Amino acid sequence: MTLCYLDGAFLPLAEASISPMDRGFLFGDGVYEVIPVYSRRPFRLDEHLRRLQQSLAAIRLVNPLSVDEWRNVVAHLVAQAEWDDQSVLLQVTRGPMAQRNHAFPATVKPTVFGLAEKLHTPPDEQRKQGIAAISTADIRWLRCHVKATSLLANCLLRQMALEAGCAETILFRDGILSEGAASNIFVVKNGVLLAPQKNHLMLSGITYDVVLELAATNSLPTEVCDIGDAEVRAADELWMTSSTKEVLPIVTLDGKNVGAGRTAGRPGPLFQQMYGWYQDFKRTVMRG
Ligand code: PDD
């Protein structure tokens, strides 16, 4: 039986219900986090809770729980779930309203939801052979740093990739790389790891931060900068990162091989290194 957290109580998911007048349902008026859990230890929980606080502040919602309360919710969900590796969803919406109205209700009672699901890390084959991506214009709003539940554009963009037989869509805003439909994107060129600058056009990824930290620890040169369309297409390597996918190599973009020479269309050597560092880092977290 899958247990969830809803508005102060833990209950079977099958028994959980919210009002159809919930602003999360009617307007996508809410924010969320997805936290990976390895061997029942949440990975970077403090950072996820900090970003949740930032998202709530950005949509003008008071955090309904303290950090300790959030930690307890997560601990309880993780302990109850049947798997050792999990993906924990935390979601807060602006709650129900008496009548449909864009304006905030006079009294806001947020809906708070938590759920632990089985973590599906990418199959080995995707890591060994790499994934295919397409690219398109970033059609989303100008608050992409907010981890909002209103994900219609992201869903359409991810679906576009899947229907083209690819795994991710890389987004460009006015010719500059922003991110993927549900991931951050890195570029490797001449031995340097290039990362897009954090701003309102992309989500400040927790995995993005880990990758840059691991690069610094291991003396891999990095540069955080605007990355143009041409630079992405001339990349030696392209990676995508997210809490559930970790780090994955993108080996074709719009049907063309990424990279040149021996590793064209195949995962590159810096990816192999980063993947190893990432797995080692996870193991240190799991040891506690
Ligand atoms: N999404 N950018 C977007 C648009 C995302 O949706 C995600 C992750 C990321 C990567 O962020 P992080 O490393 O903190 O997971 C970047 C999650 C996994 C999701 O929506 O399921």
Side-chain angles (χ1 to χ4, degrees), residues 32 34 51 147 154 179 181-184 203 205-207 241-243:
Y32 75 108
V34 175
R51 188 173 64 183
K147 200 159 171 62
N154 302 68
E179 57 180 341
S183 62
N184 292 115
L203 185 72
I206 306 294
T207 322
T241 66
S242 84
S243 290

Side-chain angles (χ1 to χ4, degrees), residues 170-225:
I170 296 182
L171 306 174
F172 291 95
R173 181 95 64 169
D174 300 326
I176 304 292
L177 170 67
S178 49
E179 57 180 341
S183 62
N184 292 115
I185 304 291
F186 287 84
V187 170
V188 173
K189 188 68 188 177
N190 298 331
V192 180
L193 181 62
L194 306 177
Q197 310 194 50
K198 286 184 181 177
N199 57 24
H200 60 292
L201 302 177
M202 68 171 248
L203 185 72
S204 169
I206 306 294
T207 322
Y208 166 105
D209 285 341
V210 174
V211 163
L212 284 183
E213 283 171 35
L214 290 173
T217 309
N218 293 284
S219 307
L220 171 64
T222 57
E223 202 182 322
V224 177
C225 55

